[in-house]
Amino acid sequence: MRTKPREVYAGAALLLPELAMLGTDAPRAAGQAGLGTHAHRDAWELCYIADGEVAWWAGGQVHEVGPGHVYITRPGEPHGGVDAVLHPCELYWVQLRVPRRGALPGLARRDAQVMLGRLEALRLRCFPASDVVPEAFARLIAEHRQRDELSPAAARAALHTLLTAVVRDHARHRAAQSRSGRRISRAIRAAIDQFERDPGAAVWELAEHAGLSVTRFHERFRAEVGLTPADWRNRRRVDRAKQLLRSGRSVTEVAMLLAFSTSQYFATVFKRHTGLTPGQYRQRMGVDER
């Protein structure tokens, strides 16, 4: 994962009045940056994960967003990070103000209404993005970083390119889901059920249970879920570990129950995803040491 300084533009630093915020960041450790409950009263937020994985919640659901995926929240919608943590990742985000009277600067009224209508019609919160999305984000950031008299026009063109790519990528993914989604979804569901019964199940076992080759299972799982099977499996184990730790189980017991090879490896995985060691998590939850 590349490291880069946090770069945020807001208020007078923004080139376009239709933007509420624009930024990029690459926290290197879970807990390095917090992401508590918040909402953007009159703005859409579009995020792109370039590297790493995050666990965010919105709309009453947790969404695990992997590299190459877009994540969207609507105006006024509360959202945040699971455990208020922003996990190690590289991400871009932009907040688009809700325009009045269906207008977007730089677009004819009809074109603006089509664009806004397509945004309103989005049904998926998280979906794979084409290469156009990170390219448009990079151009937006670049125009804000080194600006001249042409930067507002160039930034607006990049914004419109970004919005167009997002709605087209959403449509493309929905179409792919409709073609093969039922069979793949059943296969993924079967793999998930198998893991629930056996936390130690290997990825090849999950693929076999789903009736797919390991390569095909890996590809389709990542496209559907946003994470690799191994990353998803570790996140599920960490979620279950939290429950067991809160119930008073010792760190060693939890590591054994969830089929980690050693308690040290369990602690490493747990901290990677939560920013805390299992012992620190128990203390934060007010659980006595055993």
Side-chain angles (χ1 to χ4, degrees):
M1 183 183 301
R2 298 195 302 274
T3 59
K4 61 170 64 177
R6 178 178 170 87
E7 196 170 347
V8 180
Y9 300 92
L14 288 164
L15 289 167
L16 308 176
E18 60 267 40
L19 297 186
M21 184 178 286
L22 170 69
T24 180
D25 198 4
R28 288 176 288 177
Q32 179 178 330
L35 193 64
T37 302
H38 63 289
H40 312 294
R41 185 171 60 86
D42 60 352
W44 290 80
E45 184 168 57
L46 311 180
C47 298
Y48 173 76
I49 304 300
D51 197 8
E53 297 95 22
V54 298
W56 290 341
W57 63 267
Q61 292 184 311
V62 172
H63 305 270
E64 293 170 334
V65 190
H69 281 64
V70 168
Y71 177 84
I72 297 173
T73 54
R74 295 173 177 270
E77 184 175 45
H79 58 285
V82 173
D83 296 323
V85 167
L86 178 58
H87 295 89
C89 67
E90 179 184 344
L91 77 158
Y92 296 84
W93 74 92
V94 65
Q95 294 171 13
L96 174 69
R97 297 185 191 277
V98 177
R100 296 180 180 178
R101 297 182 295 278
L104 270 176
L107 288 180
R109 179 171 293 276
R110 181 182 179 282
D111 294 338
Q113 290 174 344
V114 170
M115 180 69 75
L116 295 172
R118 293 288 294 273
L119 278 175
E120 288 287 351
L122 295 182
R123 293 293 173 263
L124 301 176
R125 188 179 303 282
C126 175
F127 49 90
S130 62
D131 291 341
V132 178
V133 170
E135 291 168 0
F137 264 117
R139 174 49 52 194
L140 264 175
I141 295 288
E143 293 297 339
H144 280 78
R145 184 185 301 133
Q146 296 181 326
R147 60 186 72 189
D148 58 24
E149 65 274 15
L150 295 177
S151 289
R156 184 161 285 135
L159 174 63
H160 293 167
T161 298
L162 173 63
L163 296 177
T164 300
V166 165
V167 297
R168 284 178 171 171
D169 290 344
H170 178 274
R172 188 178 300 115
H173 187 60
R174 289 276 283 180
Q177 282 186 323
S178 67
R179 288 194 297 271
S180 63
R182 290 191 185 91
R183 186 180 68 82
I184 295 299
S185 293
R186 285 197 298 268
I188 298 304
R189 184 68 253 173
I192 291 172
D193 290 343
Q194 173 68 10
F195 169 76
E196 295 296 336
R197 292 190 293 271
D198 179 12
V203 171
W204 69 265
E205 292 176 301
L206 299 179
E208 184 176 83
H209 193 78
L212 300 170
S213 70
V214 172
T215 299
R216 179 64 172 163
F217 177 72
H218 189 282
E219 291 173 351
R220 294 308 305 161
F221 194 100
R222 185 163 185 169
E224 293 291 320
V225 179
L227 299 172
T228 66
D231 287 336
W232 175 88
R233 177 172 170 266
N234 275 340
R235 284 195 183 277
R236 294 282 70 74
R237 288 203 286 182
V238 167
D239 288 343
R240 188 175 294 181
K242 291 178 183 178
Q243 298 173 355
L244 293 170
L245 289 169
R246 289 196 300 268
S247 73
R249 299 272 191 172
S250 72
V251 173
T252 301
E253 284 180 298
V254 174
M256 293 179 61
L257 286 170
L258 297 182
F260 284 94
S261 55
T262 65
S263 57
Q264 288 80 10
Y265 177 58
F266 164 55
T268 298
V269 172
F270 191 90
K271 185 171 183 178
R272 184 186 306 142
H273 289 287
T274 67
L276 301 169
T277 66
Q280 290 170 335
Y281 181 81
R282 286 165 57 90
Q283 290 175 358
R284 179 172 289 188
M285 296 295 105
V287 180
D288 294 333
E289 287 292 335
R290 289 178 57 184

